[in-house]
Amino acid sequence: MSTDRPDASAADPTTPTPGPSAPSPDHTASGPADTGSPEAEPTPSAPGEDATPDAEPDPAPAAGEAGDAVPAAADSGEEAGGGGPGAEPPVSGRGGVGESPAGSETPAVSEAAAELAAQKVERERIARRKAERQAPVEAGGKLSGKAADLLAAVRAVEGGEKPPALYFDDAPAAPRKAVAATAPPPPRNPEPAAGPTPGAVASVEAMLTRGGAPAALAGAAATALGEDAADLLAEDPWRLLAVAGVRPAQADGFARALLGPEAGPADERRAAALVGWLLEQAALKGHTALEAPTLESALAQYGVPAPAEALERAIGDGAVLVFNEGEEAEAEEAEEGEEAGEDTGPVRVLVGLEGYALAEESLADGLARLAGGFDTPADWGGGSELIRAAAGHGLVTHTGGEAARAEPRALAVAARELGLRVCLAAHAPAPDAVTTAGLLAGTEGPGRDADGQFALDLLIVLDAPQLDVETAAALVESVPDGARLVLSGDPGVLGSAGPGRVFADVLAARACPQVVSRVPDPGPVGELVSGIGIGELNQVDAPGKEVVIVPVRDAGEAVHRTVQLVAESVPRAFGIPADSVQVITPGHGGSAGTRALNTALKERLNPGPGRFGGFDPGDRVVHVPSPGRAVPATVVSADARGLHLDGAGARIVVPKDRVESQVRHGWAVTAHQAVGARWPAVVVVLPGDAAQALSRDWVYTAFGRAERHLSVVHGVDQALAHAVAQVPPKPRTTRLTGLLSALAEAARDKPGE
């Protein structure tokens, strides 16, 4: 590998030195990447969880997620502070890159200082523009105390300034409503959903005013609770927790204002609302259920006096579901005359929301249906191990790195030559593949038959680790009987933004053939990433400067060197244009997060006034139409219909009212936003304040996005090696493995009945 010295005049990959495991000793790690969140009230989470700066909604524990709870929504676009539609870059009036702003009378300063100054001006402009947009809501602007805090909290979440898990609590993130397992993701240009009626909003507004809450929340509350929202809030004020961004302390204040002394910590309505809220928080961190003791502990931290009894009441009322894993096997043994409990192990009690439970059960049934669909193998004329496995089975898993993606593509070619209808689907736009979201929405792929099933014989899903439980259930339910499903992906990458760990659970259940690719990723980058996958950060021989380490002392220098790499060094040394160089960093906030980096990169690569809601033609952006999806695009124009984007050759029109929440600048993204895609060159920025956000799967994902060249702007000292060696992916609590194992065992026993 190569290292650029911090005192070099340009970040040009030239001098060989130690790799990422041996950074310069003067680096420091100052704390989380996204700073400035207020003191958080206690909010327990499942064991081993904590919120991280990459809150895309990178929710929680899961195979492959670094704890960015929510899903990502940052990855999902929920964190749209700087660099978002409302960010108006400084108007420089310059004639060329690198010149001083017009009218500047000050002496020449260093490029790093100029970039930091530009960031300061940018933040001030962002603040002014946000104030202007919020000006019409005069009631919110004049609030104080509890109501002002509540409005600020909700605006911070809805506007994307802070991911809920970071703004409020150490763990679980902001709630969102579960959707039916069969509901497909929205189409690329969805029609605006019908909102609540003006009458319903007015009624909620009056109720909120009575409770001292800002009337500006009326629309969000009516949308979350329905036309009867006002009556529901009057009957149970804690249902205000259904509004994204509202935390328990604020719902308690609202309840006290409406109910007076009756609103105490022991109120059954409060406990029931907290149970649902905590499970929604956990879902955003990747869980489909929580163990009962974990949930009881969380309720106790919120002051519920008898958490076990409160949980029992919630289960009895049908607000949540309870699952006793292991109980069925114990009962069967008892019926057969064996001593109950013998050799069965402890029973694990899980509690979950109905929507996620149904999705997980539907997914398990669908996978079992496909796995048992073929009694005799078809004759596909031999071929690779994957082709032979797919010929004989309805469900197959395939694992491997980036180079291994050639194997499922070869399978698709072979199946088409046999006359089969084949569809290759990927998480992000990819050659010869449709997107999973487009396939489900009907905007891409083979379409559906009269029964609503996909018109295909073989579905190959790349990037299977990115499937959350609801998307996977919708996908599997749409695969017809007699068709084959191949789930392919790299188990080492970050997991899905939504709840569940589908691919990891299917692998763990061993309910179908598993093909493991032996094709290594080529070159120094491939060698480096392969080592990271097994917990080793090795120095690699990179004679062509394929891997370069750029040590930095602070965040300001990190921004400066990153801009140099993207705009000058990489294009000059490797012939890769700047628009093919992708910057990846752990978080959106902080002095070297995506917002700060995008501000500096826009100023250098595509300066402009941001006349289209903070954007200009030619800006690189990411479009986030739904949580967990980040589509790279370029701004084309804007008109009365909205912002026009070019995404992988497809025209996307983002309605005006959705630009702020769905579009952000994309020169710099998080690893969750980058997963599933690759670029000729990647610059990974690791500022000192991002050390706590690093984990093995995050580093593996970020480094693995590079095809030809990887630069690491290194400011985390030994935290990088520590993360690779000792910070594995966070676990997620799910039920799919147990469900699949039980179904597979039942299928094996059936022939002998």
Side-chain angles (χ1 to χ4, degrees):
M1 287 180 286
S2 299
T3 304
D4 267 9
R5 298 298 183 186
D7 56 352
S9 59
D12 204 358
T14 54
T15 311
T17 50
S21 58
S24 174
D26 56 357
H27 305 314
T28 59
S30 58
D34 202 348
T35 58
S37 58
E39 182 177 350
E41 56 182 279
T43 350
S45 58
E49 275 187 18
D50 61 48
T52 66
D54 192 358
E56 276 153 348
D58 283 81
E65 279 200 76
D68 300 64
V70 236
D75 286 2
S76 1
E78 291 180 7
E79 249 193 30
E88 182 179 343
V91 182
S92 62
R94 337 182 263 200
V97 174
E99 297 180 15
S100 300
S104 173
E105 299 295 332
T106 58
V109 295
S110 69
E111 188 172 353
E115 286 167 358
L116 293 175
Q119 291 174 36
K120 181 178 179 181
V121 173
E122 174 68 5
R123 294 190 190 100
E124 293 172 353
R125 287 176 181 265
I126 291 171
R128 288 199 299 272
R129 288 183 65 86
K130 286 186 176 179
E132 291 169 4
R133 288 196 301 273
Q134 295 172 354
V137 189
E138 296 184 3
K142 297 178 181 179
L143 295 174
S144 62
K146 174 189 65 180
D149 291 342
L150 180 57
L151 181 58
V154 174
R155 279 179 174 166
V157 173
E158 293 183 338
E161 292 179 29
K162 292 284 183 181
L166 296 178
Y167 194 88
F168 301 134
D169 308 304
D170 292 335
R176 73 175 168 82
K177 196 169 184 176
V179 297
T182 56
R188 263 195 166 182
N189 293 305
E191 293 297 324
T197 63
V201 174
S203 298
V204 176
E205 186 174 323
M207 181 60 61
L208 293 172
T209 302
R210 277 184 51 199
L217 301 183
T223 300
L225 298 174
E227 291 294 306
D228 298 327
D231 293 336
L232 293 174
L233 288 172
E235 180 182 343
D236 182 357
W238 285 282
R239 297 193 72 157
L240 189 64
L241 284 172
V243 178
V246 176
R247 54 179 174 174
Q250 295 161 335
D252 287 341
F254 179 67
R256 284 193 297 271
L258 290 182
L259 305 178
E262 297 180 26
D267 194 298
E268 294 183 5
R269 294 168 293 183
R270 178 179 185 268
L274 282 173
V275 169
W277 182 78
L278 287 166
L279 288 172
E280 287 287 7
Q281 298 282 342
L284 288 174
K285 290 177 174 287
H287 306 290
T288 59
L290 285 179
E291 294 191 21
T294 298
L295 196 51
E296 290 170 7
S297 174
L299 291 170
Q301 291 191 39
Y302 277 106
V304 176
E309 295 176 8
L311 183 55
E312 288 180 8
R313 283 194 299 269
I315 295 170
D317 293 341
V320 294
L321 303 180
V322 63
F323 312 97
N324 299 324
E325 291 194 349
E327 191 174 73
E328 294 83 358
E330 185 175 317
E332 289 176 5
E333 289 184 1
E335 289 177 3
E336 294 171 2
E338 297 180 13
E339 183 177 349
E342 187 176 283
D343 298 327
T344 61
V347 175
R348 188 169 70 146
V349 179
L350 300 178
V351 180
L353 295 169
E354 182 180 19
Y356 302 125
L358 293 177
E360 216 156 16
E361 290 168 7
S362 172
L363 175 57
D365 289 340
L367 291 171
R369 168 178 62 86
L370 294 174
F374 293 89
D375 295 328
T376 57
D379 182 9
W380 285 11
S384 69
E385 182 182 2
L386 180 58
I387 292 176
R388 295 194 302 272
H393 301 85
L395 177 66
V396 176
T397 62
H398 170 261
T399 59
E402 290 296 330
R405 292 167 74 96
E407 295 177 356
R409 292 182 184 279
L411 168 62
V413 171
R416 290 191 181 104
E417 290 176 350
L418 294 168
L420 299 180
R421 299 169 299 171
V422 181
C423 180
L424 193 68
H427 175 68
D432 304 321
V434 303
T435 64
T436 304
L439 176 64
L440 284 171
T443 58
E444 302 176 59
R448 298 175 184 263
D449 60 22
D451 297 324
Q453 304 289 290
F454 294 140
L456 49 73
D457 302 304
L458 170 63
L459 174 61
I460 303 171
V461 180
L462 304 176
D463 308 314
Q466 302 312 304
L467 291 175
D468 62 76
V469 67
E470 293 171 322
T471 300
L475 199 68
V476 170
E477 287 173 358
S478 300
V479 177
D481 291 341
R484 294 169 169 85
L485 173 64
V486 174
L487 299 176
S488 175
D490 187 343
V493 300
L494 290 164
S496 65
R501 53 192 297 270
V502 173
F503 192 52
D505 283 345
V506 174
L507 292 174
R510 299 186 176 278
C512 65
Q514 299 181 3
V515 177
V516 180
S517 174
R518 295 173 177 81
V519 179
D521 288 335
V525 175
E527 182 183 349
L528 176 63
V529 172
S530 296
I532 292 170
I534 59 174
E536 298 176 358
L537 187 63
N538 301 317
Q539 296 188 43
V540 297
D541 184 19
K545 307 298 185 288
E546 294 88 348
V547 179
V548 174
I549 309 303
V550 184
V552 293
R553 290 179 290 268
D554 52 41
E557 187 182 5
V559 173
H560 169 65
R561 300 303 293 278
T562 300
V563 173
Q564 282 186 321
L565 283 163
V566 174
E568 301 173 10
S569 302
V570 172
R572 181 174 63 244
F574 302 100
I576 299 173
D579 59 5
S580 295
V581 182
Q582 183 62 59
V583 177
I584 300 176
T585 192
H588 295 294
S591 51
T594 62
R595 289 195 288 266
L597 287 166
N598 276 319
T599 298
L601 288 164
K602 174 175 173 56
E603 188 69 12
R604 179 66 180 273
L605 299 173
N606 194 42
R611 60 183 182 277
F612 298 153
F615 299 100
D616 294 294
D619 277 0
R620 280 178 66 179
V621 298
V622 286
H623 175 224
V624 187
S626 60
R629 289 186 62 208
V631 181
T634 303
V635 175
V636 177
S637 62
D639 56 24
R641 294 173 56 201
L643 192 65
H644 293 249
L645 309 176
D646 179 2
R651 181 59 63 92
I652 303 170
V653 181
V654 183
K656 220 170 152 185
D657 60 346
R658 300 187 185 185
V659 170
E660 182 172 5
S661 61
Q662 293 189 356
V663 184
R664 66 174 55 188
H665 283 109
W667 287 282
V669 299
T670 65
H672 287 80
Q673 291 175 316
V675 70
R678 298 190 85 201
W679 292 266
V682 166
V683 178
V684 176
V685 184
L686 303 175
D689 58 1
Q692 295 180 8
L694 300 181
S695 61
R696 182 184 305 159
D697 53 341
W698 192 97
V699 178
Y700 183 90
T701 302
F703 285 19
R705 299 313 92 204
E707 293 177 339
R708 293 173 49 195
H709 172 74
L710 170 67
S711 283
V712 181
V713 178
H714 194 328
V716 291
D717 197 26
Q718 296 302 316
L720 178 59
H722 171 78
V724 169
Q726 301 184 40
V727 187
K730 293 183 178 180
R732 295 185 181 187
T733 303
T734 63
R735 300 172 51 234
L736 183 58
T737 296
L739 291 170
L740 283 173
S741 298
L743 290 172
E745 183 176 353
R748 287 193 296 269
D749 294 342
K750 190 174 182 180
E753 289 181 357

